Amino acid sequence: MKHLFPIKKVREIVFPQPPVIADRGFEVDGSNVRMNLNESPFPPSPKAIHAAVATLGSFNSYPDHGCSSLAAAVSRQTGIPTNRISFGNGSGELLVALAMLSIEPGDEAVVPTPTFPTCPKGVQIAAGKLVSVPLRSDGVNDVPAMLGAITAKTRLFYLCTPNNPTGGTLGQADILRAIEEVPENCLLVIDEAYHEFSAHGGGPDVLALLSSRVGPWAVTRSFSKAYCLAGLRVGYAISSGTEIQLGLMQLRPNFNVNRVALAAATEAYADKAHLEATLDKTIGERNRLGDGLLALGFEVFPSQANFLAAGLPTATQVSAQDIVEKLKQGGILIQAMPWPNQRGSLRITVSSRENNDRFLSELREILA
Ligand SMILES: *Cc1c(COP(=O)(O)O)cnc(C)c1O
């Protein structure tokens, strides 16, 4: 009998279409200003580049799939033993795997909406049921409402802080409530892709708070944002116990973090001065960009990340999607999102001073 592939469970996965990335050759296509992917506009640490180049003669050999040098560095800085630290080809890979290791068909996952779609995608791959809880009006995960959505079938509870695409960061009290009240048969996943930015801004120390959790948990972090290594694909998960780390290892297709990425990430992680400089520049520009948007009448949501969510000026007739299309004609890429209301809002990655100014002036013309 004829059978349709992909199978139903896969066909039915709901996942937003990712933006087209059509680079010229292998270089980034410089004809567009990319303020749509939350990449860093700034180059990575020169030490990371140097380390990456130094590996180029060793492509014929598989990488160290234990990522031991990087694991040791993360362990030294966090105080977490290496057997609770896992690496992925970007933290997205780990978010899918965390859903797969916790969800049986029919189990439920409580997730905020809108949020980063990759953990929810993992829930769908695992044939779980997504229970989506709207964000607070300030763009932060609504922890009390999410706790209220837990049932006997809930096995995964996903928080994203700062939340992508809105930028809102959870306060300490909400994180502690989740740590205490998410049941012990439920994996608490906290996505901290923008951890370095929120820590720089004095945000809560999620990892320290988690030491009081009795049930299972995992925190995911990324080298794609503050470390400026998006094109290399490295992320890590810190988890409550070795059984989670072993589960992630079992689900891993094969060697997942490549030799070049591992070398660059290890050096980038060690280069604290470069990280601080990147954070200072990005946050300085975020403030300027936010002021520029406010001056144009936008509502700027609080953000502790490298992007801003901006609600449209009340006087404007153009929709968020119209603005995105018009900016695209001028070579500037940003994203529209269907939040917090019908009119939608914009998600704008903080870029260099020059790009931010160009964006603001094009935007001013579109609104005029
Ligand atoms: C960018 C991002 C990630 C994933 O990044 P990787 O490049 O896969 O490490 C995960 N979560 C959030 C919230 C993000 O914004």
Side-chain angles (χ1 to χ4, degrees):
M1 202 180 91
K2 201 164 169 256
H3 194 81
L4 191 57
F5 293 102
I7 57 170
K8 187 162 172 285
K9 174 176 93 168
V10 176
R11 282 199 308 274
E12 288 178 353
I13 289 175
V14 180
F15 194 72
Q17 192 73 24
V20 175
I21 300 182
D23 286 343
R24 293 209 178 120
F26 299 106
E27 296 290 320
V28 174
D29 178 356
S31 63
N32 282 323
V33 173
R34 289 158 52 140
M35 297 171 71
N36 59 335
L37 295 166
N38 296 348
E39 303 162 309
S40 177
F42 306 116
S45 158
K47 291 175 186 162
I49 297 172
H50 183 81
V53 170
T55 65
L56 300 185
S58 324
F59 279 173
N60 50 318
S61 297
Y62 281 118
D64 164 13
H65 61 83
C67 303
S68 45
S69 53
L70 187 52
V74 173
S75 175
R76 270 195 305 277
Q77 190 170 312
T78 58
I80 303 285
T82 54
N83 62 8
R84 288 167 46 201
I85 306 172
S86 313
F87 292 88
N89 192 243
S91 62
E93 182 183 44
L94 297 164
L95 288 165
V96 169
L98 286 165
M100 290 173 72
L101 68 75
S102 57
I103 295 286
E104 301 264 22
D107 284 348
E108 293 175 5
V110 175
V111 303
T113 185
T115 195
F116 192 67
T118 303
C119 189
K121 184 185 201 173
V123 173
Q124 296 175 79
I125 293 172
K129 185 180 160 219
L130 286 169
V131 177
S132 299
V133 178
L135 299 176
R136 291 183 349 203
S137 60
D138 58 357
V140 178
N141 296 178
D142 190 339
V143 169
M146 289 176 70
L147 289 170
I150 291 175
T151 72
K153 286 185 158 182
T154 308
R155 293 292 175 271
L156 174 64
F157 191 93
Y158 171 73
L159 296 174
C160 186
T161 181
N163 186 61
N164 186 0
T166 52
T169 303
L170 283 167
Q172 174 156 328
D174 274 337
I175 296 169
L176 281 173
R177 260 198 82 178
I179 285 170
E180 278 164 28
E181 295 180 31
V182 170
E184 279 179 48
N185 61 3
C186 184
L187 179 65
L188 171 62
V189 174
I190 306 187
D191 182 341
E192 282 203 290
Y194 303 96
H195 158 70
E196 297 79 12
F197 296 98
S198 63
H200 197 74
D205 186 342
V206 171
L207 204 52
L209 297 176
L210 276 163
S211 62
S212 70
R213 176 157 167 84
V214 179
W217 57 266
V219 163
T220 57
R221 294 180 181 170
S222 176
F223 281 90
S224 301
K225 311 285 162 62
Y227 290 102
C228 321
L229 297 178
L232 283 181
R233 318 299 307 122
V234 193
Y236 60 101
I238 294 175
S239 50
S240 49
T242 53
E243 65 285 0
I244 308 275
Q245 197 241 17
L246 289 173
L248 290 172
M249 191 75 90
Q250 275 170 302
L251 285 168
R252 197 173 66 175
N254 210 334
F255 294 91
N256 57 343
V257 182
N258 71 72
R259 185 174 282 283
V260 185
L262 201 50
T266 305
E267 285 301 316
Y269 194 72
D271 193 347
K272 294 301 167 209
H274 186 271
L275 174 66
E276 288 302 305
T278 303
L279 296 173
D280 284 339
K281 271 188 290 189
T282 309
I283 292 166
E285 279 306 306
R286 186 181 71 204
N287 294 337
R288 258 176 27 86
L289 184 61
D291 290 346
L293 287 162
L294 284 172
L296 291 174
F298 283 84
E299 178 183 6
V300 179
F301 291 89
S303 168
Q304 289 221 44
N306 66 347
F307 61 89
L308 285 173
L312 304 192
T314 36
T316 304
Q317 296 305 313
V318 265
S319 70
Q321 196 55 49
D322 286 344
I323 293 177
V324 168
E325 293 304 325
K326 289 195 171 126
L327 284 167
K328 195 173 169 184
Q329 287 161 20
I332 298 175
L333 309 178
I334 64 162
Q335 280 193 33
M337 54 174 153
W339 182 87
N341 51 41
Q342 292 285 307
R343 304 178 66 219
S345 54
L346 308 176
R347 194 199 69 182
I348 309 139
T349 305
V350 177
S351 190
S352 63
R353 173 167 289 234
E354 184 196 352
N355 289 342
N356 296 334
D357 286 344
R358 190 173 141 197
F359 161 77
L360 286 169
S361 83
E362 299 251 347
L363 189 58
R364 194 175 300 115
E365 280 183 24
I366 290 167
L367 296 176

